[in-house]
Amino acid sequence: MRTFDRGRLLAEDMVRVLILHGPNLNLLGTREESIYGTMTLDAIDASLVQLGEELGIEVDIRQSNVEGELVTWIQEARSGYQGIIINPAAYTHTSIAIRDALAAVNLPTVEVHLSNIHQREEFRRQSYVSGVAMAQISGFGPTGYLLALRGLREHLSARGSKPARSRTRSTGRTAKRNR
Ligand code: CA2
């Protein structure tokens, strides 16, 4: 129900996107730079917060090494979020639980991979998530997350959700980060 309370009205109207990073992505920029690049996860998150502000989208960014934690966050996105961007990392290739959670919440979801998973080992070519995602972006490095946010925004605008152009706010990363 709408309220005359100005603060609550703004919060209700805000487009919110949940951005999830899966296991080991907290190590970005510290090892395996030849595959995943030199940008740290903190730097990627900062670029997403900045783009969110430009687009009028509130981004809630979280990372976990625990499958069940990712599943719980996906379930919780049912209330208050309009879309999900997820790099499930290794769980891409193993997790029916994450796929089922995404199917259950039924929010427009973009799957992102830094590397091109289709050019790598055979086991990385299968994604349990792609069948329930509206799009997969793979191989653009950190830019893939920004493309995903822009793509989601276009999709949500076409569907009638209105990003708040003049009053932008981002929560930034709100959850625990494994270090
Ligand atoms: O390309 C991607 O984004 C992946 O989702 C990354 C996953 C991999 O299992 C997927 O097949 C493709 C691995 C993330 C691990 O990230 C690290 C970063 C720095 C050092 C070690 C691992």
Side-chain angles (χ1 to χ4, degrees):
M1 199 176 87
R2 287 290 157 106
T3 164
F4 290 106
D5 177 276
R6 192 168 172 74
R8 281 193 59 193
L9 194 63
L10 293 181
E12 284 172 14
D13 281 352
M14 197 79 188
V15 170
R16 242 178 245 110
V17 169
L18 179 63
I19 302 179
L20 296 179
H21 305 293
N24 295 310
L25 287 166
N26 52 310
L27 300 178
L28 278 177
T30 65
R31 290 155 235 193
E32 301 211 48
E33 289 98 328
S34 59
I35 304 173
Y36 300 117
T38 54
M39 202 163 170
T40 63
L41 197 57
D42 278 344
I44 291 173
D45 290 351
S47 72
L48 282 162
V49 168
Q50 189 186 333
L51 181 62
E53 285 172 358
E54 283 167 28
L55 300 179
I57 295 175
E58 184 176 321
V59 293
D60 180 357
I61 310 174
R62 307 175 185 204
Q63 187 275 333
S64 180
N65 293 334
V66 180
E67 183 178 19
E69 196 162 36
L70 293 163
V71 167
T72 298
W73 289 337
I74 292 166
Q75 288 180 9
E76 288 171 355
R78 256 180 316 186
S79 66
Y81 294 82
Q82 284 71 49
I84 298 175
I85 294 171
I86 183 166
N87 182 347
Y91 290 140
T92 307
H93 321 295
T94 63
S95 180
I96 298 169
I98 288 177
R99 177 198 174 100
D100 286 350
L102 289 169
V105 302
N106 199 26
L107 288 169
T109 296
V110 182
E111 175 187 357
V112 172
H113 297 286
L114 297 158
S115 62
N116 183 342
I117 58 173
H118 304 286
Q119 281 183 345
R120 299 183 63 194
E121 302 96 322
E122 185 66 38
F123 68 86
R124 292 190 203 274
R125 292 187 193 158
Q126 187 199 4
S127 167
Y128 281 107
V129 169
S130 61
V132 295
M134 62 173 291
Q136 183 194 68
I137 297 173
S138 180
F140 268 114
T143 301
Y145 289 99
L146 303 176
L147 295 172
L149 192 56
R150 287 188 185 278
L152 254 187
R153 185 218 190 228
E154 293 299 314
H155 175 78
L156 293 171
S157 298
R159 271 189 7 181
S161 298
K162 289 192 177 47
R165 287 174 193 280
S166 57
R167 46 186 165 69
T168 61
R169 185 163 64 91
S170 293
T171 53
R173 194 184 64 242
T174 59
K176 293 148 269 161
R177 166 74 48 83
N178 296 286
R179 296 199 182 267

